[in-house]
Amino acid sequence: MIDAVTGRVRAAQGAVARISVAPLLVRAAIFVIVLAGFALAFPAEVLAGRPILFLAVAALLPAIGPRRIWATFTALVTVGGWLLATDGYGRPVALWRLLAVAALLYLGHTLCALAALLPYDAVVDPELITRWLVRAAAVLLGAAVLGVVLLEAAGAGGGAGYQWVTVLGLLVAVGTAALLGWLLRRR
C-alpha cells in the first residue's frame, strides 16, 4: 500500500519536472481568455461579489482539462452571463462587446483544441503556435466582417430586417452542421 502511494507520488513529481513551457503557456492563455470572456459577458454587479471566485475556478477548469467538457461548460457560462447582463440587468447590446465576447469564445475553444493535442512535456516549435493563432485571427476577422455586414444589412431592411438575418443565420448554421455530418459519414 505504502509502495503504491510512494510510486504515484514519484510519478507525479517526474511528470511535473518534465512540463515544458509552450504547453504551459497555452494553458495559461486559456485561463486568461476564458476569464476575460466572463468579465465582458457578465454584468459588473455580479463580478463585484463572491461569484468572481467561482468564475475564476470555472476558467481554470478548461486550462487543466482541455480534452474534457470544460471548454463547452465555460462557453455556456459565458453565454449565460451575456443573457443575464442583457435581459436581467438591461445592459444594451454594444457591437464591440458582442464581437469581443464572440472572439474570446472562439479563442478559448481553439486554444483548448491546441492544448488537447499538446502533451505537458511536448517540445513545440513556436512557429506551430504562431500559425495556429494566425489562422484563428483570420477566422475572427472574417467572422467580424461578415457579422458587421449582416448587421448593416439587417438595419437597412427596417424592423423586419432582423428577422430575415436571423433566419439566414439559422440556415447557415443548419447547412454547416449538415455538411459536417455528411463529411463525417463519407469518411
Side-chain angles (χ1 to χ4, degrees):
M1 176 80 170
I2 299 273
D3 291 335
V5 172
T6 306
R8 287 181 186 236
V9 168
R10 285 191 181 144
Q13 287 173 340
V16 169
R18 287 192 322 262
I19 293 176
S20 61
V21 175
L24 200 59
L25 287 176
V26 169
R27 289 168 190 266
I30 291 169
F31 171 73
V32 169
I33 286 170
V34 170
L35 194 60
F38 288 160
L40 276 176
F42 277 88
E45 297 85 2
V46 172
L47 294 175
R50 195 175 294 181
I52 190 68
L53 297 174
F54 295 115
L55 293 175
V57 169
L60 190 60
L61 293 174
I64 292 171
R67 289 185 184 122
R68 306 216 188 307
I69 195 166
W70 300 121
T72 302
F73 171 74
T74 55
L76 291 174
V77 169
T78 304
V79 171
W82 176 267
L83 292 174
L84 176 70
T86 56
D87 291 341
Y89 285 84
R91 182 195 303 170
V93 177
L95 181 62
W96 72 268
R97 188 181 307 266
L98 180 64
L99 290 176
V101 168
L104 290 172
L105 281 170
Y106 179 73
L107 279 175
H109 174 75
T110 192
L111 285 177
C112 279
L114 178 61
L117 295 174
L118 295 177
Y120 282 105
D121 59 351
V123 177
V124 181
D125 184 12
E127 187 177 330
L128 177 118
I129 296 174
T130 303
R131 285 192 319 235
W132 191 283
L133 292 175
V134 166
R135 286 185 192 130
V139 168
L140 289 174
L141 180 64
V145 168
L146 183 63
V148 169
V149 167
L150 287 176
L151 190 64
E152 286 299 316
Y162 288 109
Q163 186 175 9
W164 75 266
V165 170
T166 303
V167 171
L168 179 65
L170 181 62
L171 290 174
V172 167
V174 168
T176 302
L179 176 66
L180 289 173
W182 177 74
L183 287 172
L184 282 174
R185 276 188 302 241
R186 221 177 73 171
R187 257 181 169 193

